[in-house]
């Protein structure tokens, strides 16, 4: 009998169905020589400080260096601390029971760093020593699963992956727990969460926000000329910019009097715009944020759903390429799409047998290849699932198309001694841009020339000036980050490093990995460090406060974070010892602990408000909650209501006058925004009052 451990019940059911394990048991399926069970994500985690006998936040206990780390069942945060999750305990007992009646194990958790960690932590926690093999697949289709079972790999082949995952887990614990406790002590017990990924990401957002806020706009002027030749209208723009309007107007008048310009230089180049590569997760998240307004976390969840429904391959990939041995399967994917009327027009531009093989690169395929659709025709999709599936499908078709060929013109004309430029571009071969018909100006990337039709021009030609126009312009501040922009900044964080050698070494490393960036951003939201305003990300007052405290500290150092990602990759490849890495992390943790303990966080002007229930005690007012210190009274109020945090002013009004000011832009469960007053009913429950 063989035990199979999947990451989720839905995946376990797919595997069991394929293997003929149809008998349903409590927490697993059995039959045909197999017992198929599942984890529920991370069932086992590293113990919290109290598991080591450290209770509360105590300066004398810092830094905390567990040796060894304790593994504990997943816990839930309760009012009186962390308690074991009953569902986790139940499933752990099931897994232990299943393994006890089997001779060997097949690991079928997600094929990646976190999936490996989920299994290994369970394996070590239940003190198992039975042999195990690894199922490594990039798709949940029947064919992919069957091929995976035919090519099971020995468990020890993934020891490097586990060591990297364990090192990441322990490093995050060391930095996160110690930094959070240290900063909370500095903040007089108001909780300030920090982590090795949170801090540099928060720094990116705050830096951009402050650059935007502190930017001083300046006016400048340019002159635009209108021309007509060979029945074609076009314009030219002055190379010079003038700060003084009067000076620009004088030059404009002299140009009007001249009335003609002479072509001084003509540059016409034929350029090829290569087809895009397949999506990796980060690129898909960026595109979906720009086009659909979806958050990185939403895209990840939608991608996971499509994967579990077997419509796409493994979404948590960091590669945009496929291996050579997968190339023969690509035509079948195109034929599958061709059964859908939506894609027929696009596919008609492709030539079977003449696909572009740019996406084939064995060297650049990491744990998983670029995102692909599968041979399973999608059905019963939600609107967002359909949109993401279509993005992946269209990107596949674009990647198989050949380059778009364009003729780019750059012409310099002269009036007196003032130079003007004319830019134009026309498409000679549509190539990949024909897939979605992306031929209009508003779909051309920012760094590309506009599609402007120009007459034939040569050096020495005279051009009449039919009109002059003085354009008043303003310098623009750096744009606030959207989630797509932030993902790019996280992905390319190493590019900000000044040392050329280090920059080259870190050019492909950033903050986090494609699989973790969404959770890093979501953590900043949950900590109330950042908020969304329209599509842009803004730091909260608390986020700016934390940033100002840590901006010059090691914990906010992007370079350090990027170097850790390189180290984890080396551990996975067996080039670096995990113990040495953790020792370095402990030294780093000791440094940041000392740095953060020296800080003093000024407290918000907190009013003295009596508990509305017992009337005996002043309320404890924190960032997320307001509560009575008396455990017997236990009155509590959460400060975030329908996406809006109650300000101190509104909290005071609520508890003294039983009605807040009008709170705008609250969001219902359906996503609809509304305005309302908040009040307390007779039982001190929060209620809405509408205008």
């Amino acid at each position: 009998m063989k035990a199979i451990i999947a990451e989720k019940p839905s995946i376990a059911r797919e595997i069991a169905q394929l293997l003929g394990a149809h008998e349903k048991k409590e927490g697993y399926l059995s039959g045909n020589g197999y017992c198929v069970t599942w984890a529920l994500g991370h069932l086992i985690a590293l113990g919290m400080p109290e598991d080591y006998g450290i209770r509360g936040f105590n300066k004398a206990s810092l830094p905390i260096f567990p040796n060894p780390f304790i593994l504990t069942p997943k816990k839930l945060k309760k009012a009186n601390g962390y308690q074991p999750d009953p569902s986790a305990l139940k499933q752990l007992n099931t897994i232990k029971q299943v393994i006890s009646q089997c001779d060997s194990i097949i690991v079928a958790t997600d094929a990646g760093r976190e999936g490996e960690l989920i299994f290994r932590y369970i394996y070590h926690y239940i003190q198992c020593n039975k042999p195990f093999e690894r199922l490594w697949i990039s798709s949940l289709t029947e064919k992919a699963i069957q091929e995976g079972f035919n090519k099971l790999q020995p468990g020890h082949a993934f020891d490097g992956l586990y060591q990297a995952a364990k090192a990441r887990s322990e490093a995050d614990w060391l930095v996160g727990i110690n930094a959070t406790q240290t900063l909370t002590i500095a903040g007089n017990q108001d909780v300030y969460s920090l982590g090795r990924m949170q801090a540099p990401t928060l720094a990116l957002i705050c830096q951009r926000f402050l650059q935007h806020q502190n930017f001083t706009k300046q006016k400048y002027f340019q002159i635009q000329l209108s021309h007509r030749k060979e029945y074609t209208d076009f314009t030219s723009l002055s190379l010079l910019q003038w700060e003084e309007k009067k000076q620009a107007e004088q030059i404009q008048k002299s140009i009007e009097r001249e009335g003609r310009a002479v072509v001084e230089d003509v540059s016409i180049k034929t350029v090829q715009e290569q087809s895009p590569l397949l999506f990796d997760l980060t690129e898909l998240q960026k595109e979906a944020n720009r086009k659909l307004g979806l958050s990185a976390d939403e895209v990840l969840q939608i991608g996971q759903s499509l994967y579990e429904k077997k419509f796409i391959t493994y979404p948590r990939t960091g590669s945009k390429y496929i291996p050579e041995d997968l190339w023969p399967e690509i035509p079948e994917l195109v034929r599958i799409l061709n059964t859908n009327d939506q894609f027929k027009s696009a596919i008609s531009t492709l030539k079977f047998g003449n696909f572009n093989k740019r996406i084939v690169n064995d060297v650049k395929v990491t744990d998983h290849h670029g995102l692909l659709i599968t041979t399973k025709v999608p059905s019963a999709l939600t609107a967002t699932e359909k949109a993401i599936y279509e993005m992946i499908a269209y990107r596949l078709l674009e990647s198989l198309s050949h380059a778009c060929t364009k003729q780019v013109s750059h012409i310099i004309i002269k009036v007196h001694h003032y130079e003007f430029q004319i830019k134009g571009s026309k498409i000679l071969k549509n190539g990949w841009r024909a897939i979605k018909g992306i031929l209009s100006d508003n779909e051309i990337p920012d760094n590309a020339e506009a599609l402007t039709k120009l007459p034939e021009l040569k050096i020495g030609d005279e051009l009449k000036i039919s009109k002059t126009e003085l354009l008043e312009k303003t310098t623009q501040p750096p744009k606030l980050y959207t989630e797509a922009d932030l993902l790019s900044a996280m992905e390319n964080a190493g590019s900000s490093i000044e040392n050329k050698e280090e920059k080259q070494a870190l050019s492909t490393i950033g903050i986090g990995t494609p699989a973790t960036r969404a959770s890093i951003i979501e953590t900043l939201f949950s900590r109330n460090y950042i908020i969304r305003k329209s599509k842009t990300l803004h730091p909260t007052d608390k986020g700016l406060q934390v940033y100002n405290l840590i901006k010059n500290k090691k914990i906010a150092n992007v370079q350090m974070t990027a170097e850790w990602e390189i180290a984890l990759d080396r551990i996975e490849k067996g080039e670096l010892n995990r113990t040495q890495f953790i020792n370095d992390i402990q030294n780093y943790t000791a440094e940041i602990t000392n740095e953060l303990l020296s800080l003093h966080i000024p407290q918000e002007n907190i009013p003295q408000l009596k508990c509305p229930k017992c009337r005996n005690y002043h309320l404890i007012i924190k960032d997320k909650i307001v509560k009575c210190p008396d455990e017997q009274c236990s009155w509590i109020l959460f400060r975030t209501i329908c996406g809006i945090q109650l300000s101190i002013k509104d909290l005071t009004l609520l508890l003294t006058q039983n009605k807040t000011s009008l709170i705008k832009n609250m969001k219902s469960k359906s996503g609809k925004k509304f305005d309302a007053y908040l009040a307390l009913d007779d039982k001190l429950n929060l209620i809405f009052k509408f205008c």
Side-chain angles (χ1 to χ4, degrees):
M1 186 80 82
K2 289 189 175 184
I4 298 175
I5 301 179
E7 192 160 317
K8 293 181 179 180
S10 59
I11 298 172
R13 285 193 291 270
E14 292 291 343
I15 293 172
Q17 177 72 24
L18 178 66
L19 297 176
H22 301 305
E23 190 178 347
K24 291 184 180 180
K25 304 279 188 175
E26 185 68 31
Y28 69 101
L29 299 120
S30 69
N32 203 23
Y34 294 99
C35 285
V36 186
T37 187
W38 54 84
L40 298 168
H42 286 273
L43 286 179
I44 300 295
L46 298 178
M48 297 300 287
E50 50 262 39
D51 294 310
Y52 303 95
I54 301 170
R55 298 195 174 276
F57 290 7
N58 188 344
K59 188 174 180 179
S61 302
L62 299 172
I64 305 168
F65 292 149
N67 187 21
F69 277 93
I70 296 171
L71 293 177
T72 66
K74 179 184 174 184
K75 293 182 179 181
L76 300 175
K77 192 173 183 181
K78 303 288 186 180
N80 58 344
Y82 287 90
Q83 300 294 327
D85 181 349
S87 61
L89 291 175
K90 182 179 179 183
Q91 192 59 23
L92 275 170
N93 285 331
T94 298
I95 292 171
K96 194 170 183 178
Q97 175 193 341
V98 166
I99 288 176
S100 68
Q101 57 185 299
C102 294
D103 303 316
S104 63
I105 304 164
I106 296 173
V107 184
T109 49
D110 280 359
R113 194 186 280 174
E114 288 310 296
E116 192 68 22
L117 191 68
I118 285 170
F119 165 72
R120 297 284 187 121
Y121 272 180
I122 293 171
Y123 185 81
H124 291 301
Y125 178 76
I126 64 176
Q127 299 180 332
C128 183
N129 57 11
K130 291 186 177 180
F132 60 90
E133 296 175 287
R134 192 55 159 104
L135 175 71
W136 193 268
I137 54 177
S138 291
S139 168
L140 287 175
T141 61
E142 185 174 319
K143 180 183 176 184
I145 294 172
Q146 189 64 64
E147 287 179 354
F149 272 98
N150 292 336
K151 298 177 183 177
L152 290 174
Q153 300 180 58
H156 63 76
F158 298 90
D159 286 350
L161 183 66
Y162 165 58
Q163 291 299 327
K166 189 169 187 258
R168 195 278 308 153
S169 176
E170 292 176 359
D172 282 348
W173 193 102
L174 289 168
V175 176
I177 293 292
N178 283 291
T180 295
Q181 291 213 6
T182 305
L183 206 57
T184 298
I185 289 168
N188 292 323
Q189 303 304 314
D190 194 7
V191 177
Y192 288 83
S193 168
L194 275 183
R196 72 180 183 99
M197 300 296 188
Q198 289 178 50
T201 306
L202 177 63
L204 286 173
I205 296 166
C206 291
Q207 286 164 4
R208 177 59 62 87
F209 176 79
L210 293 171
Q211 288 168 357
H212 183 90
Q213 292 289 97
N214 299 330
F215 185 83
T216 303
K217 291 185 177 182
Q218 293 182 321
K219 283 185 180 180
Y220 67 94
F221 299 89
Q222 282 182 286
I223 299 172
Q224 181 175 280
L225 309 180
S226 296
H227 314 278
R228 181 176 177 81
K229 185 180 181 183
E230 297 173 3
Y231 305 105
T232 303
D233 294 311
F234 55 99
T235 60
S236 60
L237 186 66
S238 62
L239 290 175
L240 283 177
Q241 300 173 358
W242 294 274
E243 293 181 8
E244 296 294 331
K245 185 176 183 180
K246 186 173 283 187
Q247 182 187 11
E249 286 174 336
Q250 289 173 349
I251 294 167
Q252 180 187 13
K253 286 176 182 175
S254 72
I255 288 171
E256 284 177 347
R257 287 193 295 269
E258 178 66 21
R260 64 186 183 89
V262 177
V263 177
E264 189 177 61
D265 186 56
V266 176
S267 172
I268 299 175
K269 294 180 180 177
T270 299
V271 297
Q272 289 197 327
E273 191 180 18
Q274 290 295 337
S275 58
L277 296 167
L278 297 173
F279 282 125
D280 65 0
L281 176 58
T282 300
E283 197 64 32
L284 178 66
Q285 288 169 323
K286 289 192 289 187
E287 186 80 356
N289 181 253
R290 292 189 194 105
K291 299 288 177 65
L292 305 173
L294 295 172
S295 72
D297 189 58
E298 286 172 328
V299 177
L300 177 56
Q301 299 311 318
I302 294 164
Q304 186 69 21
S305 174
L306 288 170
Y307 169 66
E308 290 177 17
K309 292 176 180 177
K310 301 186 282 188
F311 298 140
I312 67 168
T313 57
Y314 188 65
R316 289 175 166 86
T317 177
S319 177
K320 299 177 182 180
Y321 297 86
I322 62 170
E324 182 72 45
D325 61 10
L326 193 58
W327 179 250
E329 298 181 26
I330 297 299
E332 180 60 22
L333 299 182
V334 178
R335 278 190 278 271
I336 293 291
L337 288 177
N338 205 28
T339 62
N340 187 329
D341 289 342
Q342 180 177 348
F343 298 106
K344 283 186 176 180
S345 174
I347 293 171
S348 68
T349 68
L350 291 171
K351 288 184 180 179
F352 280 84
N354 189 30
F355 290 164
N356 187 350
K357 284 188 73 172
R358 186 166 174 253
I359 59 173
V360 178
N361 191 320
D362 287 325
V363 176
K364 292 188 177 181
V365 174
T366 52
D367 288 344
H368 297 277
H369 54 70
L371 266 166
L372 293 170
I373 61 162
T374 67
T375 53
K376 185 177 179 182
V377 178
S379 59
L381 298 181
T382 66
T384 50
E385 285 177 337
K386 184 174 184 290
I388 294 298
Y389 178 87
E390 288 173 0
M391 274 189 173
I392 296 167
Y394 274 120
R395 177 56 66 94
L396 168 63
L397 298 177
E398 287 175 338
S399 73
L400 298 176
S401 304
H402 290 275
C404 171
T405 306
K406 296 192 295 185
Q407 189 182 79
V408 178
S409 303
H410 187 221
I411 297 159
I412 300 294
I413 64 173
K414 214 171 193 180
V415 187
H416 299 314
H417 60 280
Y418 300 108
E419 291 185 329
F420 291 74
Q421 66 179 349
I422 304 167
K423 289 184 177 181
S425 176
K426 67 178 179 180
I427 289 179
L428 304 178
K429 288 183 181 177
N430 292 339
W432 68 271
R433 285 197 171 276
I435 292 295
K436 289 193 289 187
I438 305 177
L439 305 173
S440 60
D441 289 355
N442 62 349
E443 290 283 4
I444 299 292
D446 292 338
N447 59 352
E449 303 291 348
L451 292 175
T452 305
K453 185 180 177 183
L454 294 175
E456 186 177 333
L457 296 169
K458 59 183 184 296
I459 295 173
D461 281 356
E462 283 193 0
L463 289 175
K464 286 186 178 181
I465 301 168
S466 57
K467 180 184 174 185
T468 69
E469 188 176 355
L470 189 63
L471 305 179
E472 183 178 310
K473 297 185 177 182
T474 308
T475 54
Q476 296 300 310
K479 290 181 180 178
L480 292 172
Y481 282 130
T482 61
E483 215 156 319
D485 298 330
L486 179 61
L487 286 166
S488 288
M490 293 170 75
E491 187 178 26
N492 300 303
S495 64
S496 63
I497 295 167
E498 292 182 5
N499 182 292
K500 287 185 178 179
E501 289 183 9
E502 291 178 348
K503 184 173 181 176
Q504 185 175 1
L506 302 176
S507 60
T508 59
I509 300 291
I511 299 171
T513 64
T516 61
R517 288 178 190 130
S519 65
I520 295 166
I521 297 170
E522 289 303 311
T523 298
L524 293 177
F525 282 116
S526 69
R527 302 301 185 205
N528 192 36
Y529 288 165
I530 63 172
I531 56 173
R532 288 186 187 91
K533 288 189 178 180
S534 187
K535 286 188 176 182
T536 57
L537 303 177
H538 295 240
T540 61
D541 290 342
K542 184 175 183 179
L544 283 170
Q545 183 186 43
V546 171
Y547 166 69
N548 284 322
L549 290 167
I550 65 168
K551 62 184 177 183
N552 297 319
K553 309 299 181 188
K554 280 181 174 288
I555 196 165
N557 190 328
V558 169
Q559 180 175 339
M560 184 73 69
T561 304
E563 287 173 354
W564 285 4
E565 292 301 327
I566 289 177
L568 292 172
D569 187 57
R570 290 184 62 208
I571 291 170
E572 185 175 331
K573 293 173 180 174
E575 298 169 0
L576 179 67
N577 183 278
R578 185 187 65 83
T579 303
Q580 179 59 52
F581 173 75
I582 293 298
N583 287 339
D584 291 343
I585 295 296
Q586 288 185 347
N587 293 333
Y588 168 83
T589 301
E591 287 183 56
I592 62 170
T593 299
N594 288 331
E595 282 186 340
L596 296 175
L597 280 174
S598 67
L599 300 174
H600 172 70
I601 302 175
Q603 296 300 293
E604 188 178 17
N605 188 17
I606 304 293
Q608 295 281 302
L609 297 172
K610 280 210 168 177
C611 173
K613 183 178 178 182
C614 69
R615 296 288 178 184
N616 292 325
Y617 296 91
H618 285 118
L619 294 167
I620 296 171
I621 301 174
K622 293 196 172 186
D623 186 53
K624 291 188 176 182
I625 62 167
V626 180
K627 67 177 183 177
C628 180
D630 184 2
E631 289 187 8
Q632 289 186 334
C633 172
S634 71
W635 186 81
I636 190 168
L637 174 73
F638 291 95
R639 281 182 69 175
T640 300
I641 314 294
C642 295
I644 301 293
Q645 185 190 38
L646 273 182
S647 66
I648 291 295
K649 177 185 173 184
D650 277 317
L651 196 56
T652 304
L653 287 171
L654 177 68
L655 294 166
T656 57
Q657 300 177 27
N658 198 31
K659 187 179 178 183
T660 64
S661 62
L662 183 66
I663 298 175
K664 296 187 175 183
N665 294 320
M666 287 190 282
K667 191 180 284 187
S668 68
K669 288 182 180 179
S670 65
K672 187 178 179 181
K673 290 187 176 181
F674 66 97
D675 304 339
Y677 299 92
L678 296 176
L680 296 173
D681 64 15
D682 294 340
K683 294 182 180 179
L684 301 178
N685 295 315
L686 204 63
I687 58 173
F688 298 104
K689 288 193 173 181
F690 297 95
C691 303

